[in-house]
Every structure is written in structure tokens, then in C-alpha cells.
Amino acid sequence: MIANILIIGSGISGVAIAYHLAHKGVKDIVVIDQSYMTSGATGRCGAGVRQQWATKANCMMAKRSIEFFHDAATILDYADDIEFKQEGYLILATDQEEHEQFTHNVRLQNSLDIPSRQLSVSEARNIVPHLNPEAFVSATFCPTDGHLNPFKMTDAYYQAAKRLGVTFLFFETVRSISIESGRIEKVITSKRTILTHHVVNASGGYACEVGKMAGIDIPVYSENHEILVTEPIEKIQGPMVMSFKKNIYCQQVPHGSFLMGRSTPDQVQGHDISSSWQFLEAMAETVCEILPVIGKLRVVRQWGGSYNMSPDRQPIICEAPNLQGYTMACGFSGHGFMFAPMTGVLISEIILKEPPTLDVSLYHIDRFKKHMMDDIEKSVV
Amino acid sequence: MNKEPNIICRCEDVTVEQVRELLQKGYTHFEDLKRQLRVGMGPCQGQNCQEMIRREIATFLGVSIEDVPTHTVRPLIIGVPLEAIKAAKKR
């Protein structure tokens, strides 16, 4: 098999990259995945999309991506429903320190035309009446943040890419990447040899390993983040409710279920994505404190998924400095789904050497060479 | 055969016709069907629909049902209210 460009990973990043390249006329694109589509982090994520970040790099990715999600069904000519809802994120400040950090964040967000604002406790309760007023001191709200169905969104990109001639290989594992005289020559998979000079690492939780296959040291690691879903009920909550200090995000999806997750303190690095009773207990306790009425709901299912963590909690989107033809989109630190539209655009621009839509130096791997990182994202659960 | 839609997943109101339509489009893994249709995601977690859907996949692919992978079984076994989980922790 010959591929003009081989994209490793059929999560949201891989399909978005494939679509944007194919849309610009690139032929013979192949997407390979070791399992089924969305089998990794994309299919396990909370699927919220927000623009309320503490760094410019994340704000810019998020804003442009949400603009794409808004029109995605039309752009991609998708017959099904991507279930996009734009009812905001309500982020709770639980002490004075967070309140002040959020004042700073909102100022940054507003300077980038993101319409977030700070709210008092009573203003926040006008938006989410079942919030416990004792649990927070103030909040920020951005009405254009939201949620969409990760399976449908991936499927929308997949179908559009397939119509443009992209080939998808599922249940096929990349075993090695052959480099001769500083150039990628072929990729060996569990089923065949693919001749190609261009590889895109969009392998989510396995980004570090797929880097090593080409001798590239990508400073990312994976860690398990757990999540649960309740039985569906009639709509009672519009926005995502989130708190960094209380360690919770909780959203009612259009289907009616509540999705909620939190990070595990001192989580070990690795590819474990199992479920724990410790998460279930801590999650139950946290949600009962902040949103007491949700405590009445039954948990239907819990699962885990990989966050691919970068040192500054912001993505790495660039060509490898020492290997022409190897591009990477990884280290999203739990936010690859919501940034995917811009990931697709930027990677396609990098490969085709087009002027970039955003300042891509913000996302380049070389930023970690500096002794002090400029800007570490703090707004992360 | 009955011309009315035939419900195959009672939790999420999915019909066998919807399953067959997606099989025709190439979504032939249980996990693919689950993600597109929500079969197996409801309160019963696939305990009612799983075998019927595996049989549909097996028939479509012309393989034995034993060769069709089951979907991933996850906790909890039955639904439990969050406040009951919290209360149990205190004891």
C-alpha cells in the first residue's frame, strides 16, 4: 500500500486532520487505528467544549473550534445530528484566590473576544438553580461554551473524509516506522507495509510511543481520568458546571443523562483506563455537595480514559524539528476533543506549508526547551 | 414479518431496522453500533439487547455468533443513586 500521508489514530484529531487535508485536495490519505473509531480518548471524553481558559494558546484553539462546531453539520454535510448545544460553562470559584485568578482569566478571554463574565452566587443560581450557594463564592460564565456528541462529531468528519477519498484501516496496529537517510520511508503494521514519506501522530494516549517509533522524544505521558453517567431525566441543567478546586465537571447532555468526572490525585502514569470504587465515592460526595439534587440520580455506568498530558497542559501541534515529514498533534491534556477542528486546520496548514490560521509557535514542541515555561494552564480538572 | 418497527433495545428505543441500516453502512462492530445508536448504554447495559444484536451482526457478516465480540461490560451492575453511594461511605 502507498500513502501520501498516513495518519495514526482515528479519534477526533485524526479524522479532523484527514478531512481538512482531503478537503484541500490531498490524495491517498490513509488513517490507521489499532481498534474501532473513537476507541480511545475521544469516545471516553466528557465532550464539553469551552473557551474559558487561563492561557492565550488554549483560548485561541477553543474559540475557533467552537465556531466550527456551530456550523459543522452543514460544513461536513452530515445527515445525522451532532447534538451541539451551546448553553455555556459555569465555572465556580470556591475561594478568594480562585476568584482573583478568574478575574484575570476573564480579562484575557474578553481581550480575545470570548464573551465570558463573572457572576455573583445569586446570578449563578439564576442560571443553575439547584447549585448549593454554600459551595462557592462566585462564578464565571461563557454562554457560547457547550457540548456535543463525540461519536457523532467523529462520525461526521469520518463520513466527509471518506467521501473525499480517505482510506480508513481499523483494527490494524502500527508496529514500526522505517527511516532511511533522515527520511520516513515506510510504516510496518500488523497487517502490511505502507510506503509513505509523511506520518501524522494523532494517537492520543499513545503519542509518546508513536514518537519513539520515529526516534522522537515527545514530553507527554498518559493518565487515567474517570467519569460516570446517570440515568436520563427531563432537562434541568443547561450549562456545564465545573470547579477546579472541588475537582468536578458535571453536565446534563441532550439525551437527559448527567455526565460527571474528576481527576484522581497523584494518579500513576500509564495506559490503565480501569474504573475504581474510590472515584465513585469521591464523585458522589463532590456532586452531592455542589449540586445536591443530582444525588437522587442513579449511576448507570462508569469508565475511564486517557488524558495525554503535556508539561504546560497545552497541545503540541507541529512538525518534528529533526524529522521532516513527521507531524504531531498530541499532549492535549484532556482537551483534544474540543480543540479538534483547529487541530485539523493547523496540521493541514503545517503539512501543506500554508500560512497558519493561528500563531503556531505557541503549540510548537520547542517551547519546552526553555528553562521556564511562560504560561502553564491552571484551568484544568 | 411484522411491518411495524421492531424494538431491539428497549432502554434506548432502537429498532432492529436501525441496526441493520448501520450494518449495511459498515458499522459492524458492537462498539460501533453502541456509539452510533446507544444500544447497550441504557439502564440494562445491554443485558437485554446484546445477544440479539450480536446475532444480527453474525447473520450480516456470515459468521458464527461466538465470533462476534461482546461489548465492554462496565460497572455498575445495577443503577445506584449517588447519594446512596455517598451515605455508604460514611458508615
Side-chain angles (χ1 to χ4, degrees):
Chain A
M1 180 181 244
I2 297 173
N4 192 356
I5 296 171
L6 179 69
I7 298 165
I8 304 173
S10 74
I12 191 74
S13 296
V15 295
I17 293 163
Y19 165 76
H20 283 285
L21 285 167
H23 182 65
K24 291 174 179 174
V26 178
K27 304 294 178 201
D28 298 319
I29 300 165
V30 177
V31 181
I32 185 168
D33 199 290
Q34 63 178 347
S35 185
Y36 52 87
M37 189 166 68
T38 74
S39 54
T42 298
R44 300 165 183 280
C45 77
V49 294
R50 70 166 149 128
Q51 302 155 93
Q52 297 182 75
W53 299 97
T55 69
K56 185 185 174 193
N58 275 346
C59 284
M60 298 298 291
M61 286 293 285
K63 180 172 189 295
R64 301 294 286 260
S65 294
I66 285 183
E67 286 163 8
F68 183 91
F69 287 133
H70 183 272
D71 301 323
T74 311
I75 295 168
L76 301 173
D77 195 18
Y78 191 52
D80 206 341
D81 183 4
I82 61 168
E83 297 166 23
F84 183 50
K85 77 161 191 176
Q86 218 164 1
E87 296 187 45
Y89 262 54
L90 189 72
I91 302 182
L92 309 178
T94 54
D95 58 23
Q96 192 57 29
E97 186 195 353
E98 260 192 328
H99 176 82
E100 281 162 22
Q101 168 73 36
F102 289 180
T103 304
H104 177 81
N105 292 357
V106 166
R107 202 173 299 137
L108 169 76
Q109 292 151 12
N110 291 170
S111 77
L112 300 168
D113 290 330
I114 294 166
S116 55
R117 60 183 193 269
Q118 275 190 299
L119 302 180
S120 67
V121 170
S122 68
E123 285 169 330
R125 291 184 82 226
N126 286 338
I127 299 172
V128 179
H130 51 280
L131 271 170
N132 172 9
E134 307 298 320
F136 64 110
V137 298
S138 73
T140 65
F141 182 67
C142 176
T144 51
D145 292 348
H147 171 91
L148 69 160
N149 182 319
F151 313 122
K152 299 291 185 183
M153 188 61 232
T154 311
D155 189 49
Y157 273 124
Y158 162 71
Q159 289 197 24
K162 266 211 320 195
R163 286 196 302 271
L164 291 166
V166 175
T167 302
F168 285 83
L169 305 172
F170 295 115
F171 296 100
E172 186 167 335
T173 307
V174 171
R175 300 257 195 251
S176 63
I177 299 171
S178 294
I179 298 160
E180 288 162 30
S181 312
R183 189 184 193 197
I184 297 168
E185 291 294 339
K186 58 191 173 191
V187 172
I188 316 292
T189 78
S190 53
K191 293 183 183 167
R192 75 196 89 202
T193 296
I194 301 173
L195 302 177
T196 187
H197 298 308
H198 293 277
V199 166
V200 181
N201 179 354
S203 47
Y206 288 89
C208 184
E209 287 83 348
V210 173
K212 286 204 175 82
M213 284 181 191
I216 297 164
D217 187 20
I218 309 175
V220 293
Y221 62 89
S222 289
E223 65 178 31
N224 186 16
H225 281 241
E226 295 187 58
I227 181 168
L228 64 79
V229 65
T230 70
E231 61 196 326
I233 56 163
E234 74 282 5
K235 184 178 172 185
I236 62 165
Q237 184 176 316
M240 172 81 95
V241 172
M242 191 168 201
S243 164
F244 305 121
K245 282 222 169 140
K246 302 268 183 184
N247 191 2
I248 179 176
Y249 63 89
C250 175
Q251 172 133 58
Q252 186 175 25
V253 301
H255 171 259
S257 315
F258 277 80
L259 276 178
M260 61 192 81
R262 71 199 302 281
S263 59
T264 304
D266 304 318
Q267 182 64 289
V268 290
Q269 299 180 13
H271 295 298
D272 170 48
I273 47 168
S274 56
S275 300
S276 71
W277 59 265
Q278 291 92 338
F279 161 78
L280 196 59
E281 275 191 357
M283 192 77 251
E285 201 162 48
T286 311
V287 77
C288 287
E289 182 201 345
I290 293 174
L291 300 158
V293 70
I294 311 293
K296 307 276 181 208
L297 298 182
R298 289 174 189 275
V299 179
V300 167
R301 177 171 67 252
Q302 64 174 120
W303 67 96
S306 276
Y307 274 27
N308 189 241
M309 306 298 288
S310 78
D312 62 4
R313 311 298 181 246
Q314 291 161 83
I316 302 170
I317 297 171
C318 63
E319 186 174 39
N322 301 322
L323 183 59
Q324 204 189 343
Y326 187 102
T327 40
M328 62 189 100
C330 55
F332 289 93
S333 311
H335 314 113
F337 177 70
M338 62 178 93
F339 294 168
M342 278 316 293
T343 301
V345 169
L346 293 177
I347 291 283
S348 71
E349 289 167 348
I350 289 166
I351 290 174
L352 300 174
K353 310 213 182 307
E354 293 174 347
T357 303
L358 297 179
D359 174 8
V360 284
S361 70
L362 293 172
Y363 312 103
H364 201 282
I365 193 169
D366 280 351
R367 70 182 185 271
F368 304 118
K369 282 184 184 163
K370 288 188 269 179
H371 291 299
M372 287 286 289
M373 278 177 283
D374 295 333
D375 217 5
I376 297 175
E377 180 61 70
K378 295 177 200 73
S379 296
V380 178
V381 167
Chain B
M1 198 177 130
N2 184 1
K3 288 280 195 289
E4 296 294 309
N6 291 288
I7 300 284
I8 196 165
C9 166
R10 290 186 291 188
C11 297
E12 298 288 340
D13 285 349
V14 179
T15 67
V16 68
E17 290 79 9
Q18 285 174 285
V19 170
R20 287 173 185 165
E21 192 188 329
L22 278 193
L23 287 170
Q24 292 284 352
K25 289 180 178 168
Y27 299 83
T28 55
H29 198 282
F30 197 112
E31 299 291 347
D32 287 330
L33 297 170
K34 181 175 174 180
R35 279 155 181 76
Q36 294 304 320
L37 296 173
R38 300 192 56 86
V39 290
M41 284 188 177
C44 93
Q45 292 289 285
Q47 292 184 62
N48 289 297
C49 68
Q50 170 157 237
E51 291 314 302
M52 289 184 286
I53 290 170
R54 286 177 68 215
R55 196 167 63 225
E56 286 293 322
I57 296 171
T59 306
F60 179 81
L61 294 175
V63 299
S64 160
I65 192 166
E66 292 80 16
D67 296 325
V68 176
T70 58
H71 82 132
T72 310
V73 179
R74 301 188 188 282
L76 312 176
I77 300 295
I78 57 164
V80 180
L82 284 154
E83 60 187 17
I85 296 166
K86 182 192 166 198
K89 188 186 176 187
K90 285 205 173 131
R91 265 195 247 114

